[in-house]
Amino acid sequence: MRRDFRMMRLVFAAPVLQLLVLGYAATMDVREIPTVICDLDRSAESRRFLGEFFQSGYFTAKAQVDSLDAVDRYLDDGEASIALLVPRDFGDQLAGSGTAGMAVIVDGSDSNVAVTALNYASQIVGTYSERIIMRRLERSGTQFRPVTSRVQARVWYNPELKSRDFMVPGILAQLLMLMTMMLTSLAIVKEKERGTLEQLIVTPVTPVQLILGKLIPFILIGFIDIALVVLTARLLFGIRVRGSVALLFGLSGVFLLSTLGLGLFISSISRNQQQAMMTAIFFVMMPMIMLSGFVFPIENMPKLIQFFTYLLPLRYYFVIIRGLFLKGSTLAELWDQAAILLVFGIAILGLAAQRFRKRLG
Amino acid sequence: MIRRIYAIAKKEFRQIYRDIRSLAVLLLLPIFLLVMFGYAISLDVRHIPIAVYDAQNSAESRRLVDEFNHSEYFDLRYHLSDVREIDALLDRGRIRAALVIPRDFSRLMLRDRSCEVQVLLDGSNSTSAQTALGYIEAVILNYCSGLTDRELLRFAGVQVTVPVDYRPRVWYNPELHSSVFLVPGLVTFIMLISAVISTALSIVREKERGTMEQILVSPIRPAELIVGKTIPYVIISLAVSFGVLAVSHLLFGVTVKGSYPVLFLVILLFLLSCLGMGILISTLTQSQHMAFTLSALLTILPAFILSGFVFPIRNMPVVIQAITYLFPGRFFLAALRSVIIKGTGLASFWKEALALVAFGAVTLTFSILRMKPGPRGRRK
């Protein structure tokens, strides 16, 4: 296997490179939402009002237009995600005691950005309204203070709410799964296609020995990959493991058993490399990426699919790796996840050996 | 020339047909995956499990707790009698947020007119944490302004008029369903991967089996070989993409607002660039294993993360934004979302369409050049 030098280079360089690019890319923080303004009033009041939006840091002015048609164009082309429309009498109404209308149009096609933008906008408008009520009450000489409440939020585990701290450990787990499955899922079927498997069969190697022999080099590679990506996460993204590093390696080893086992199992049930590759990608890799809780929360899924996710080893490993990176969890909190992974790994390796024995008989 | 291309396409078709299991996987699995993923994935933050520690338990504080109880965004799971229970609940992931109402809540609210409500939040998933915090703040703000109105009526007999009447309108996706946003992304993800992997082994397999030499000494030219090899997969992938679109219409209510011919054109361009990418991988590699590894590395995570599927491209660092231009997914997804959700025409995404043409042309040309029977092409 060492002879396949190109493959080895790929096996070690790819995870680091991918973590580097994808780690920087995977952020869902919503900031600097491109905004188009249609201010028909152009008074001091309307400018102060709109200024509140841009001072917040959540919105960036993209353009200033004077007609609804122009607003249309910006939203259609996706150049702006939100439009703020201020009518002609805005300042006059607020200076008196009337109600000034204003409209916010949000591009709902990216629902995540839209929800966040609406949240921010309603808060800004709410605070502004409150201030005007105060001003009006003061002017009328009423001694009345409106009720206000401050939410004092204390955020645990990821105090700055950086989505990167949540995503990078997730990508790390994905990469580990992909690399190990790629290595093993063609391992046996390749020899089958080349006909070298017959040679192995006539030697006195038992199926269990064969599976274990195939496994050991991959486990070693897996551990080197873990070390590389953890180091990358630490050095480039400044994300450190809060829990014990020894525990991280130990539990990752348990996870490797299950992915390598899945790979070997696929290899033992496929007739040629094409089949093995498709089975690995469609039946294992894609479901693992979508359904293990990497970005899409499992508790939002329909019950039936939630049930299916229990079959995905990555689901348990995500809990482990996020616990270790973000929460500083210990074995006391993670043992159940680890136990399931261990059972899964041993079962799937047993199945692979079983399939292999049948083929021999 | 047409005859030779036809012959190769026919041979490739036969080969695909003979391996019926792979064909079934190629045709049916993308559709099955779309159904499963389409139901499964969602970014909507609803039913956030929360706990409340109400130290006062007065009529006023219960009214605030009620507001949380009635909101569809929260599931009030625990009424705590001890503030120290919060730690364990957050650690074990039972709740995402906890609300602490102080003992002198109603006095502070009614006399001092200001009160601090403490919120403890599990920030590990920052996106849902941020949304949850936004909802919590909105509930509390709403509660305060309701209280202000009541107090003012009692105090001065005045009805407060709202100074700024804020009317949000949501275009393109008025109910803000994340499925409308996610299904086109899912379509891109599934089509890209299935198209690339369908061709990734097509040439390298012949190299490994040694049948490539036979083809190279035959009068077939490299261009004919590549085109002939691509045609069957264009047909299969087109069939898949129509199946996928039909499913997203029937099951997920994603209707195409724009024109169908434009949609067809964009899909065709996208498929060509993906198949071109697969063929290029196949000509560059020496073994099926290597081709598999490369195509999995270049498609699975990049299609998920770098295409704008869930992570907005404009939030990425500039260098990474530049890298996203190297993958066809981003162009297709932008065009697909425009034509499906917004109903805009080629005028607003001609750049993306052009990029897809360029991508397909470059990958296919490179593949043909690699196949040229010369010292480079013949190297094994």
mmCIF file of all heavy atoms in Angstrom, chain A residues 290-319:
data_model
loop_
_atom_site.group_PDB
_atom_site.id
_atom_site.type_symbol
_atom_site.label_atom_id
_atom_site.label_comp_id
_atom_site.label_asym_id
_atom_site.label_seq_id
_atom_site.Cartn_x
_atom_site.Cartn_y
_atom_site.Cartn_z
ATOM 1 N N MET A 290 -25.950 14.830 5.594
ATOM 2 C CA MET A 290 -27.205 15.562 5.736
ATOM 3 C C MET A 290 -27.905 15.312 7.058
ATOM 4 O O MET A 290 -28.561 16.187 7.596
ATOM 5 C CB MET A 290 -28.168 15.146 4.613
ATOM 6 C CG MET A 290 -27.776 15.640 3.279
ATOM 7 S SD MET A 290 -28.060 17.397 3.196
ATOM 8 C CE MET A 290 -27.114 17.792 1.766
ATOM 9 N N LEU A 291 -27.827 14.078 7.535
ATOM 10 C CA LEU A 291 -28.753 13.687 8.605
ATOM 11 C C LEU A 291 -28.116 13.522 9.977
ATOM 12 O O LEU A 291 -28.788 13.147 10.928
ATOM 13 C CB LEU A 291 -29.464 12.377 8.223
ATOM 14 C CG LEU A 291 -30.222 12.379 6.895
ATOM 15 C CD1 LEU A 291 -30.814 11.023 6.621
ATOM 16 C CD2 LEU A 291 -31.305 13.438 6.887
ATOM 17 N N SER A 292 -26.811 13.769 10.088
ATOM 18 C CA SER A 292 -26.185 13.522 11.395
ATOM 19 C C SER A 292 -26.228 14.721 12.324
ATOM 20 O O SER A 292 -25.666 14.681 13.406
ATOM 21 C CB SER A 292 -24.726 13.107 11.222
ATOM 22 O OG SER A 292 -24.628 12.014 10.392
ATOM 23 N N GLY A 293 -26.816 15.805 11.871
ATOM 24 C CA GLY A 293 -26.872 16.977 12.736
ATOM 25 C C GLY A 293 -25.704 17.927 12.530
ATOM 26 O O GLY A 293 -25.377 18.711 13.411
ATOM 27 N N PHE A 294 -25.071 17.872 11.362
ATOM 28 C CA PHE A 294 -23.944 18.766 11.083
ATOM 29 C C PHE A 294 -24.421 20.213 11.015
ATOM 30 O O PHE A 294 -23.931 21.072 11.734
ATOM 31 C CB PHE A 294 -23.282 18.330 9.774
ATOM 32 C CG PHE A 294 -22.222 19.263 9.258
ATOM 33 C CD1 PHE A 294 -21.305 19.850 10.105
ATOM 34 C CD2 PHE A 294 -22.135 19.525 7.900
ATOM 35 C CE1 PHE A 294 -20.327 20.701 9.614
ATOM 36 C CE2 PHE A 294 -21.152 20.376 7.410
ATOM 37 C CZ PHE A 294 -20.260 20.954 8.264
ATOM 38 N N VAL A 295 -25.392 20.518 10.161
ATOM 39 C CA VAL A 295 -26.020 21.838 10.188
ATOM 40 C C VAL A 295 -27.516 21.778 10.458
ATOM 41 O O VAL A 295 -28.086 22.722 10.972
ATOM 42 C CB VAL A 295 -25.863 22.645 8.879
ATOM 43 C CG1 VAL A 295 -24.664 23.526 8.933
ATOM 44 C CG2 VAL A 295 -25.840 21.762 7.682
ATOM 45 N N PHE A 296 -28.129 20.667 10.074
ATOM 46 C CA PHE A 296 -29.581 20.589 10.218
ATOM 47 C C PHE A 296 -29.910 19.835 11.503
ATOM 48 O O PHE A 296 -29.587 18.664 11.611
ATOM 49 C CB PHE A 296 -30.193 19.886 9.010
ATOM 50 C CG PHE A 296 -29.755 20.491 7.703
ATOM 51 C CD1 PHE A 296 -28.892 19.829 6.863
ATOM 52 C CD2 PHE A 296 -30.190 21.753 7.350
ATOM 53 C CE1 PHE A 296 -28.475 20.398 5.671
ATOM 54 C CE2 PHE A 296 -29.789 22.327 6.161
ATOM 55 C CZ PHE A 296 -28.926 21.656 5.322
ATOM 56 N N PRO A 297 -30.529 20.524 12.464
ATOM 57 C CA PRO A 297 -30.775 19.889 13.757
ATOM 58 C C PRO A 297 -31.661 18.645 13.627
ATOM 59 O O PRO A 297 -32.671 18.669 12.930
ATOM 60 C CB PRO A 297 -31.511 20.974 14.558
ATOM 61 C CG PRO A 297 -31.267 22.245 13.843
ATOM 62 C CD PRO A 297 -30.999 21.910 12.422
ATOM 63 N N ILE A 298 -31.231 17.578 14.282
ATOM 64 C CA ILE A 298 -31.969 16.311 14.197
ATOM 65 C C ILE A 298 -33.364 16.453 14.797
ATOM 66 O O ILE A 298 -34.315 15.869 14.313
ATOM 67 C CB ILE A 298 -31.171 15.185 14.892
ATOM 68 C CG1 ILE A 298 -29.896 14.903 14.105
ATOM 69 C CG2 ILE A 298 -31.995 13.901 14.999
ATOM 70 C CD1 ILE A 298 -28.994 13.869 14.704
ATOM 71 N N GLU A 299 -33.487 17.280 15.861
ATOM 72 C CA GLU A 299 -34.799 17.357 16.506
ATOM 73 C C GLU A 299 -35.855 18.026 15.629
ATOM 74 O O GLU A 299 -37.039 17.938 15.920
ATOM 75 C CB GLU A 299 -34.710 18.057 17.865
ATOM 76 C CG GLU A 299 -34.342 19.528 17.813
ATOM 77 C CD GLU A 299 -32.895 19.757 18.231
ATOM 78 O OE1 GLU A 299 -32.072 18.831 18.039
ATOM 79 O OE2 GLU A 299 -32.580 20.842 18.752
ATOM 80 N N ASN A 300 -35.430 18.688 14.535
ATOM 81 C CA ASN A 300 -36.403 19.264 13.601
ATOM 82 C C ASN A 300 -36.928 18.244 12.611
ATOM 83 O O ASN A 300 -37.847 18.518 11.853
ATOM 84 C CB ASN A 300 -35.762 20.393 12.777
ATOM 85 C CG ASN A 300 -35.618 21.664 13.563
ATOM 86 O OD1 ASN A 300 -35.954 21.699 14.737
ATOM 87 N ND2 ASN A 300 -35.116 22.694 12.922
ATOM 88 N N MET A 301 -36.280 17.074 12.528
ATOM 89 C CA MET A 301 -36.640 16.116 11.474
ATOM 90 C C MET A 301 -37.906 15.360 11.864
ATOM 91 O O MET A 301 -38.212 15.217 13.043
ATOM 92 C CB MET A 301 -35.484 15.133 11.281
ATOM 93 C CG MET A 301 -34.224 15.785 10.784
ATOM 94 S SD MET A 301 -32.858 14.620 10.697
ATOM 95 C CE MET A 301 -31.512 15.764 10.337
ATOM 96 N N PRO A 302 -38.627 14.849 10.847
ATOM 97 C CA PRO A 302 -39.789 14.013 11.164
ATOM 98 C C PRO A 302 -39.347 12.779 11.960
ATOM 99 O O PRO A 302 -38.216 12.319 11.797
ATOM 100 C CB PRO A 302 -40.307 13.591 9.781
ATOM 101 C CG PRO A 302 -39.687 14.507 8.808
ATOM 102 C CD PRO A 302 -38.425 15.019 9.406
ATOM 103 N N LYS A 303 -40.254 12.260 12.782
ATOM 104 C CA LYS A 303 -39.919 11.142 13.684
ATOM 105 C C LYS A 303 -39.279 9.957 12.958
ATOM 106 O O LYS A 303 -38.304 9.380 13.422
ATOM 107 C CB LYS A 303 -41.177 10.668 14.412
ATOM 108 C CG LYS A 303 -41.548 11.520 15.619
ATOM 109 C CD LYS A 303 -40.667 11.175 16.805
ATOM 110 C CE LYS A 303 -40.804 12.112 17.971
ATOM 111 N NZ LYS A 303 -40.574 13.539 17.704
ATOM 112 N N LEU A 304 -39.846 9.630 11.791
ATOM 113 C CA LEU A 304 -39.367 8.462 11.058
ATOM 114 C C LEU A 304 -37.892 8.618 10.685
ATOM 115 O O LEU A 304 -37.091 7.692 10.825
ATOM 116 C CB LEU A 304 -40.226 8.301 9.799
ATOM 117 C CG LEU A 304 -40.055 6.984 9.054
ATOM 118 C CD1 LEU A 304 -40.649 5.850 9.864
ATOM 119 C CD2 LEU A 304 -40.729 7.060 7.688
ATOM 120 N N ILE A 305 -37.548 9.817 10.235
ATOM 121 C CA ILE A 305 -36.169 10.050 9.831
ATOM 122 C C ILE A 305 -35.268 10.153 11.060
ATOM 123 O O ILE A 305 -34.138 9.671 11.051
ATOM 124 C CB ILE A 305 -36.084 11.300 8.931
ATOM 125 C CG1 ILE A 305 -36.836 10.999 7.630
ATOM 126 C CG2 ILE A 305 -34.647 11.667 8.624
ATOM 127 C CD1 ILE A 305 -36.988 12.147 6.702
ATOM 128 N N GLN A 306 -35.783 10.716 12.131
ATOM 129 C CA GLN A 306 -35.009 10.746 13.374
ATOM 130 C C GLN A 306 -34.630 9.331 13.779
ATOM 131 O O GLN A 306 -33.525 9.073 14.233
ATOM 132 C CB GLN A 306 -35.829 11.372 14.501
ATOM 133 C CG GLN A 306 -35.927 12.865 14.400
ATOM 134 C CD GLN A 306 -36.391 13.482 15.700
ATOM 135 O OE1 GLN A 306 -36.223 12.931 16.768
ATOM 136 N NE2 GLN A 306 -36.973 14.653 15.610
ATOM 137 N N PHE A 307 -35.547 8.427 13.598
ATOM 138 C CA PHE A 307 -35.304 7.039 13.940
ATOM 139 C C PHE A 307 -34.157 6.488 13.092
ATOM 140 O O PHE A 307 -33.260 5.819 13.580
ATOM 141 C CB PHE A 307 -36.583 6.249 13.695
ATOM 142 C CG PHE A 307 -36.576 4.913 14.341
ATOM 143 C CD1 PHE A 307 -36.643 4.806 15.727
ATOM 144 C CD2 PHE A 307 -36.494 3.756 13.580
ATOM 145 C CE1 PHE A 307 -36.619 3.565 16.328
ATOM 146 C CE2 PHE A 307 -36.470 2.514 14.184
ATOM 147 C CZ PHE A 307 -36.536 2.420 15.559
ATOM 148 N N PHE A 308 -34.189 6.829 11.810
ATOM 149 C CA PHE A 308 -33.148 6.377 10.894
ATOM 150 C C PHE A 308 -31.758 6.908 11.289
ATOM 151 O O PHE A 308 -30.749 6.230 11.115
ATOM 152 C CB PHE A 308 -33.511 6.812 9.469
ATOM 153 C CG PHE A 308 -32.453 6.534 8.454
ATOM 154 C CD1 PHE A 308 -32.229 5.248 8.002
ATOM 155 C CD2 PHE A 308 -31.664 7.565 7.963
ATOM 156 C CE1 PHE A 308 -31.242 4.985 7.080
ATOM 157 C CE2 PHE A 308 -30.672 7.313 7.038
ATOM 158 C CZ PHE A 308 -30.466 6.012 6.598
ATOM 159 N N THR A 309 -31.725 8.134 11.838
ATOM 160 C CA THR A 309 -30.423 8.719 12.153
ATOM 161 C C THR A 309 -29.683 7.937 13.240
ATOM 162 O O THR A 309 -28.472 8.072 13.372
ATOM 163 C CB THR A 309 -30.532 10.183 12.626
ATOM 164 O OG1 THR A 309 -31.271 10.210 13.848
ATOM 165 C CG2 THR A 309 -31.207 11.062 11.607
ATOM 166 N N TYR A 310 -30.404 7.131 14.012
ATOM 167 C CA TYR A 310 -29.713 6.322 15.014
ATOM 168 C C TYR A 310 -28.767 5.312 14.382
ATOM 169 O O TYR A 310 -27.903 4.757 15.034
ATOM 170 C CB TYR A 310 -30.725 5.589 15.902
ATOM 171 C CG TYR A 310 -31.436 6.512 16.851
ATOM 172 C CD1 TYR A 310 -32.780 6.815 16.694
ATOM 173 C CD2 TYR A 310 -30.745 7.097 17.910
ATOM 174 C CE1 TYR A 310 -33.428 7.682 17.549
ATOM 175 C CE2 TYR A 310 -31.384 7.965 18.772
ATOM 176 C CZ TYR A 310 -32.729 8.254 18.591
ATOM 177 O OH TYR A 310 -33.350 9.119 19.446
ATOM 178 N N LEU A 311 -28.957 5.062 13.067
ATOM 179 C CA LEU A 311 -28.088 4.115 12.379
ATOM 180 C C LEU A 311 -26.792 4.759 11.893
ATOM 181 O O LEU A 311 -25.938 4.089 11.342
ATOM 182 C CB LEU A 311 -28.821 3.534 11.164
ATOM 183 C CG LEU A 311 -30.007 2.623 11.468
ATOM 184 C CD1 LEU A 311 -30.721 2.240 10.190
ATOM 185 C CD2 LEU A 311 -29.504 1.382 12.186
ATOM 186 N N LEU A 312 -26.668 6.073 12.069
ATOM 187 C CA LEU A 312 -25.500 6.753 11.520
ATOM 188 C C LEU A 312 -24.456 6.992 12.614
ATOM 189 O O LEU A 312 -24.698 7.760 13.539
ATOM 190 C CB LEU A 312 -25.911 8.100 10.917
ATOM 191 C CG LEU A 312 -26.987 8.068 9.835
ATOM 192 C CD1 LEU A 312 -27.452 9.468 9.497
ATOM 193 C CD2 LEU A 312 -26.469 7.370 8.592
ATOM 194 N N PRO A 313 -23.302 6.345 12.494
ATOM 195 C CA PRO A 313 -22.282 6.521 13.531
ATOM 196 C C PRO A 313 -21.865 7.986 13.708
ATOM 197 O O PRO A 313 -21.522 8.410 14.807
ATOM 198 C CB PRO A 313 -21.104 5.673 13.044
ATOM 199 C CG PRO A 313 -21.500 5.055 11.767
ATOM 200 C CD PRO A 313 -22.914 5.372 11.474
ATOM 201 N N LEU A 314 -21.924 8.742 12.621
ATOM 202 C CA LEU A 314 -21.481 10.128 12.701
ATOM 203 C C LEU A 314 -22.325 10.927 13.693
ATOM 204 O O LEU A 314 -21.853 11.859 14.330
ATOM 205 C CB LEU A 314 -21.554 10.759 11.306
ATOM 206 C CG LEU A 314 -20.797 12.065 11.102
ATOM 207 C CD1 LEU A 314 -19.339 11.906 11.453
ATOM 208 C CD2 LEU A 314 -20.925 12.531 9.666
ATOM 209 N N ARG A 315 -23.571 10.548 13.830
ATOM 210 C CA ARG A 315 -24.455 11.229 14.771
ATOM 211 C C ARG A 315 -23.880 11.202 16.191
ATOM 212 O O ARG A 315 -23.880 12.200 16.892
ATOM 213 C CB ARG A 315 -25.813 10.531 14.721
ATOM 214 C CG ARG A 315 -26.726 10.987 15.780
ATOM 215 C CD ARG A 315 -27.882 10.068 16.058
ATOM 216 N NE ARG A 315 -28.461 10.596 17.288
ATOM 217 C CZ ARG A 315 -29.723 10.929 17.443
ATOM 218 N NH1 ARG A 315 -30.557 10.735 16.483
ATOM 219 N NH2 ARG A 315 -30.146 11.442 18.558
ATOM 220 N N TYR A 316 -23.382 10.039 16.582
ATOM 221 C CA TYR A 316 -22.832 9.903 17.941
ATOM 222 C C TYR A 316 -21.494 10.624 18.055
ATOM 223 O O TYR A 316 -21.183 11.241 19.051
ATOM 224 C CB TYR A 316 -22.674 8.428 18.294
ATOM 225 C CG TYR A 316 -23.950 7.666 18.085
ATOM 226 C CD1 TYR A 316 -24.120 6.825 16.990
ATOM 227 C CD2 TYR A 316 -25.011 7.843 18.955
ATOM 228 C CE1 TYR A 316 -25.307 6.160 16.778
ATOM 229 C CE2 TYR A 316 -26.211 7.186 18.756
ATOM 230 C CZ TYR A 316 -26.350 6.344 17.660
ATOM 231 O OH TYR A 316 -27.536 5.709 17.458
ATOM 232 N N TYR A 317 -20.724 10.518 16.971
ATOM 233 C CA TYR A 317 -19.406 11.157 17.007
ATOM 234 C C TYR A 317 -19.534 12.676 17.052
ATOM 235 O O TYR A 317 -18.718 13.345 17.681
ATOM 236 C CB TYR A 317 -18.599 10.708 15.783
ATOM 237 C CG TYR A 317 -17.151 11.150 15.835
ATOM 238 C CD1 TYR A 317 -16.343 10.818 16.924
ATOM 239 C CD2 TYR A 317 -16.592 11.888 14.806
ATOM 240 C CE1 TYR A 317 -15.021 11.212 16.984
ATOM 241 C CE2 TYR A 317 -15.267 12.285 14.856
ATOM 242 C CZ TYR A 317 -14.487 11.950 15.935
ATOM 243 O OH TYR A 317 -13.189 12.349 15.997
ATOM 244 N N PHE A 318 -20.554 13.243 16.423
ATOM 245 C CA PHE A 318 -20.770 14.690 16.502
ATOM 246 C C PHE A 318 -20.981 15.133 17.944
ATOM 247 O O PHE A 318 -20.429 16.137 18.389
ATOM 248 C CB PHE A 318 -21.993 15.117 15.682
ATOM 249 C CG PHE A 318 -21.663 15.464 14.269
ATOM 250 C CD1 PHE A 318 -22.507 15.120 13.239
ATOM 251 C CD2 PHE A 318 -20.500 16.150 13.975
ATOM 252 C CE1 PHE A 318 -22.207 15.437 11.932
ATOM 253 C CE2 PHE A 318 -20.191 16.472 12.678
ATOM 254 C CZ PHE A 318 -21.047 16.114 11.654
ATOM 255 N N VAL A 319 -21.800 14.372 18.672
ATOM 256 C CA VAL A 319 -22.037 14.713 20.077
ATOM 257 C C VAL A 319 -20.718 14.671 20.843
ATOM 258 O O VAL A 319 -20.396 15.568 21.627
ATOM 259 C CB VAL A 319 -23.062 13.746 20.711
ATOM 260 C CG1 VAL A 319 -23.244 14.062 22.181
ATOM 261 C CG2 VAL A 319 -24.378 13.836 19.977
#
